[in-house]
Amino acid sequence: MNFKEVFKTTLNLVIICLCVGAMLALANQLTAGKIKENERKETKENRKVLIPTADKFVDMFKDDKYKLSDNSIKALEKGNVSALVEGLDKQGKSVGYVVESSKDGYSSKIKVMYSISPAPNFKVMGMLIKDSAETPGLGENIKKPNFKNQFKDKPLDDIVLGDPPKIKALTGATISSRAVTGAVHDSLKNLINTLKNRKSENKGAKKKTEYKVERKTSCDFSLFGSKAYAKVVKVDPELKKLLQADKYVKVIPGAYKAVRKGKFVGYVAKGFARGYNDTIMVGYATDTRLRVLKVRILRQNESPGYREQIGKADFLNQFKGKTLKTLVLKMSENKSNKYISAISGATVSSKAAVMAVRNSLKRLETVLKK
Amino acid sequence: MFGEMWKTFKNGLWEENAVFALALGLCPALAVTTSASNGLGMGIALLFVLAMSVLILSLVRHFIDERVRVPFFLAVIAGFVTITDMTMKAYFPPLAKSLGLYVPLIVVNCTVLGRVEVFASKTPPHKAFADGLGMGVGFTIALIVLGGIRELLGNGTIFNMPLLSLIPTYKPVLMMILPPGGFILVGLLMGAISMTKKAIMKSQIAKAKGVLRDDIVPPPELDEITHAELAQKPY
């Protein structure tokens, strides 16, 4: 390439880049104001929708006159409150707050915006999803009114997943529903604490009202001690089916050593975990080194169609050969056989099935090690 | 001149439809078509970018140095894409939100680059513009069809209006909205379209030969007109 050619190609690109750059600058000039205005308008409209009675909104994070103390802003930001606005009516009386918060959902960060009534009730007045990119048709349904409107007039204690008057999760989208509920719950809890403290500070009251919230996790996978069940069943015939043996020796309640013709062949045990609707009971058999051989769902009361599928062979066969280390639920993106992948639309039930085996196996292992 | 332009325009609609015949730009075509309105928005965005890019690039085709043509094309395409993106954000914010990343990704959409490379850089502007419009409209129609069917089956609505979901016993086929549904549908439609094309070709040959028998098999060279061949044809 001689000098002339280099010059020509360079000139070529320089000219086009200048032209395109100029064009973009012009387009930006024309649209930038509008884009910003749209965003502002959207926030404004959302606020108005959330608190229709308010005449004016003041930003409690940025507005110099109404700003909270730096410490409480920091505490709130840590407590999952990303923006806080107070709504005032014509007389300047507080009619509520608009709060923004977020939490990781199934495939995106879900940003929510909600309004609460002023002290002392702090009831949620309305909620909307500002931004989310969940699975269309499943998770994205959190934007639909039948889910959103459940938050109306709920006090903090009711903003957990559960049966009405609590928030009912969407079928097949429990993770997304839980993220929304969690975002509101966490931020509201912190906010109430801060606002109550502030009130007492302002009044100079001696008593500081401590607002304590009993935390209710809707689906916790805590150990469901099998002791309660162990008394009822000796060796469940269902368990016997998993691993044929002539003799079963009790190790701990609900777990038995299987002995066939005087030879130790493995363990059979039961595990429990809280599923979506009810406790799930699983039975499983392991070999002598605690590797899972077979898993069966012995009792469940999950919703038909979606969650009942945990009883199907496709799902249960994944447990084969797993040890305590690899008995982990992975989201469906992970296609490797090393871990167990959840049934889409039934993540909670799948998780419960895995946890049931896991919990029981863990207990068995600790006992055996001793 | 207009006859020629019309012919070029029509070519993009059916014979060389970007999605169903050339299988170009499948990534946005499958990703955004969860609803008919998304398909329409994406299609129009691409239509604008494609038509403007081919027009401009065809106008300056003698000026472009052969060795730096790809960065040159990309600069122009990226410019129009950014303008589209900004305009959408300014005037159609809900649409911009639902299309998300896929509008900026038009920059590397193979429909645009392909048409610029094989067509616009070798043809006069009026024809290139007609081709860009045809390809863009073809793409838009394909996206509306895909989005419409997926939305109808997967959600029971079309352009957000309830249709199948009015039937109380109807249960939406969720899979149609999820990625596998998109793949299955685009495959079925491609198959159906190429079958129709073959049938049309057969009947045309039969007509030309003056016979009306449907067991005439079209000669292989008539079976497929690839866009590489088209590019080689002198216009």
Side-chain angles (χ1 to χ4, degrees), chain A residues 1 5 8-13 15-17 20 23-24 27-32 34-35 38 42 129-131 135-138 141 144 306 344, chain B residues 34 56-57 60 62-68 71-72 75-76 78-80 82-83 85-93 97 154-155 174 177-178:
Chain A
M1 226 196 256
E5 279 173 340
K8 204 190 155 202
T9 47
T10 315
L11 188 73
N12 229 307
L13 287 177
I15 289 176
I16 193 63
C17 285
V20 173
M23 209 163 71
L24 286 183
N28 189 39
Q29 194 105 53
L30 292 173
T31 53
K34 187 89 186 155
I35 292 174
N38 275 341
E42 203 192 328
I129 310 291
K130 225 180 131 194
D131 198 18
T135 323
L138 284 171
N141 286 346
K144 290 202 171 161
Y306 277 107
S344 82
Chain B
T34 49
I56 299 289
L57 287 169
V60 296
H62 299 303
F63 169 72
I64 305 172
D65 191 297
E66 187 69 9
R67 278 162 297 195
V68 289
F72 197 106
V76 173
F80 282 113
T82 315
I83 290 174
D85 196 28
M86 285 195 229
T87 317
M88 270 190 162
K89 273 188 187 142
Y91 299 100
F92 311 99
K97 228 178 194 177
N155 206 17
L174 256 181
I177 284 188
L178 300 174

Side-chain angles (χ1 to χ4, degrees), chain B residues 1-13 127 130:
Chain B
M1 186 173 113
F2 286 106
E4 224 181 316
M5 277 172 77
W6 173 243
K7 221 179 133 193
T8 323
F9 176 79
K10 253 188 359 195
N11 180 48
L13 295 188
K127 241 175 133 178

Side-chain angles (χ1 to χ4, degrees), chain A residues 280-349:
Chain A
I280 292 177
M281 174 160 91
V282 300
Y284 64 93
T286 71
D287 63 7
T288 51
R289 285 160 62 202
L290 287 178
R291 273 183 306 214
V292 177
L293 296 171
K294 241 184 213 174
V295 176
R296 290 288 170 269
I297 305 288
L298 299 185
R299 194 172 63 212
Q300 62 147 339
N301 190 18
E302 304 296 87
S303 16
Y306 277 107
R307 307 191 175 96
E308 228 176 43
Q309 293 180 33
I310 53 165
K312 290 207 171 148
D314 286 350
F315 178 67
L316 292 177
N317 282 342
Q318 293 187 84
F319 285 81
K320 219 178 212 171
K322 297 278 188 297
T323 59
L324 199 53
K325 260 184 200 162
T326 49
L327 212 55
V328 178
L329 193 75
K330 281 275 143 122
M331 291 307 173
S332 49
E333 283 86 354
N334 195 322
K335 286 284 171 287
S336 79
N337 291 328
K338 200 173 166 194
Y339 304 108
I340 293 164
S341 52
I343 296 164
S344 82
T347 324
V348 174
S349 306

Side-chain angles (χ1 to χ4, degrees), chain A residues 61-343:
Chain A
F61 276 15
K62 285 171 193 154
D63 199 309
D64 289 332
K65 224 170 130 192
Y66 293 92
K67 221 160 106 173
L68 293 165
S69 68
D70 285 346
N71 273 344
S72 37
I73 290 181
K74 241 179 225 164
L76 280 179
E77 272 171 351
K78 240 187 197 168
N80 208 353
V81 179
S82 49
L84 176 64
V85 175
E86 187 170 16
L88 304 174
D89 64 3
K90 275 179 186 155
Q91 284 84 39
K93 227 179 88 195
S94 170
V95 283
Y97 302 89
V98 178
V99 193
E100 284 176 39
S101 170
S102 63
K103 194 160 192 177
D104 284 330
Y106 187 81
S107 58
S108 67
K109 196 164 200 146
I110 301 178
K111 289 185 186 157
V112 301
M113 203 169 167
Y114 62 93
S115 58
I116 51 168
S117 59
N121 291 332
F122 297 119
K123 271 189 180 173
V124 173
M125 297 200 282
M127 196 276 293
L128 51 88
I129 310 291
K130 225 180 131 194
D131 198 18
S132 74
E134 300 293 285
T135 323
L138 284 171
E140 279 291 88
N141 286 346
I142 50 171
K143 286 180 180 161
K144 290 202 171 161
N146 60 3
F147 179 71
K148 256 178 11 186
N149 291 348
Q150 290 186 78
F151 286 79
K152 241 173 218 170
D153 296 324
K154 292 264 155 78
L156 176 64
D157 290 356
D158 277 347
I159 303 181
V160 285
L161 292 186
D163 289 324
K166 288 177 182 152
I167 309 288
K168 202 165 180 299
L170 287 169
T171 313
T174 321
I175 307 260
S176 308
S177 314
R178 193 188 290 157
V180 175
T181 317
V184 176
H185 186 98
D186 294 353
S187 53
L188 187 54
K189 198 169 102 187
N190 280 297
L191 187 64
I192 290 176
N193 273 329
T194 314
L195 289 176
K196 286 218 165 163
N197 286 341
R198 177 170 169 252
K199 277 265 145 63
S200 51
E201 272 168 30
N202 285 353
K203 282 176 191 164
K206 280 172 195 169
K207 269 190 224 162
K208 262 196 174 180
T209 36
E210 276 282 317
Y211 194 84
K212 232 183 166 186
V213 190
E214 212 181 298
R215 203 165 170 199
K216 286 177 191 167
T217 19
S218 53
C219 295
D220 68 340
F221 302 105
S222 59
L223 292 168
F224 261 72
S226 47
K227 272 176 198 163
Y229 297 88
K231 277 176 195 164
V232 190
V233 274
K234 280 183 180 170
V235 179
D236 197 309
E238 290 284 337
L239 275 185
K240 280 185 181 171
K241 265 190 217 163
L242 288 167
L243 191 63
Q244 291 295 339
D246 342 300
K247 218 169 90 185
Y248 294 93
V249 186
K250 188 163 138 188
V251 186
I252 46 168
Y256 308 89
K257 219 174 187 175
V259 180
R260 196 189 297 151
K261 289 177 192 159
K263 220 174 113 193
F264 164 47
V265 286
Y267 299 93
V268 285
K270 269 185 200 175
F272 300 87
R274 180 87 173 96
Y276 186 84
N277 288 340
D278 205 355
T279 307
I280 292 177
M281 174 160 91
V282 300
Y284 64 93
T286 71
D287 63 7
T288 51
R289 285 160 62 202
L290 287 178
R291 273 183 306 214
V292 177
L293 296 171
K294 241 184 213 174
V295 176
R296 290 288 170 269
I297 305 288
L298 299 185
R299 194 172 63 212
Q300 62 147 339
N301 190 18
E302 304 296 87
S303 16
Y306 277 107
R307 307 191 175 96
E308 228 176 43
Q309 293 180 33
I310 53 165
K312 290 207 171 148
D314 286 350
F315 178 67
L316 292 177
N317 282 342
Q318 293 187 84
F319 285 81
K320 219 178 212 171
K322 297 278 188 297
T323 59
L324 199 53
K325 260 184 200 162
T326 49
L327 212 55
V328 178
L329 193 75
K330 281 275 143 122
M331 291 307 173
S332 49
E333 283 86 354
N334 195 322
K335 286 284 171 287
S336 79
N337 291 328
K338 200 173 166 194
Y339 304 108
I340 293 164
S341 52
I343 296 164

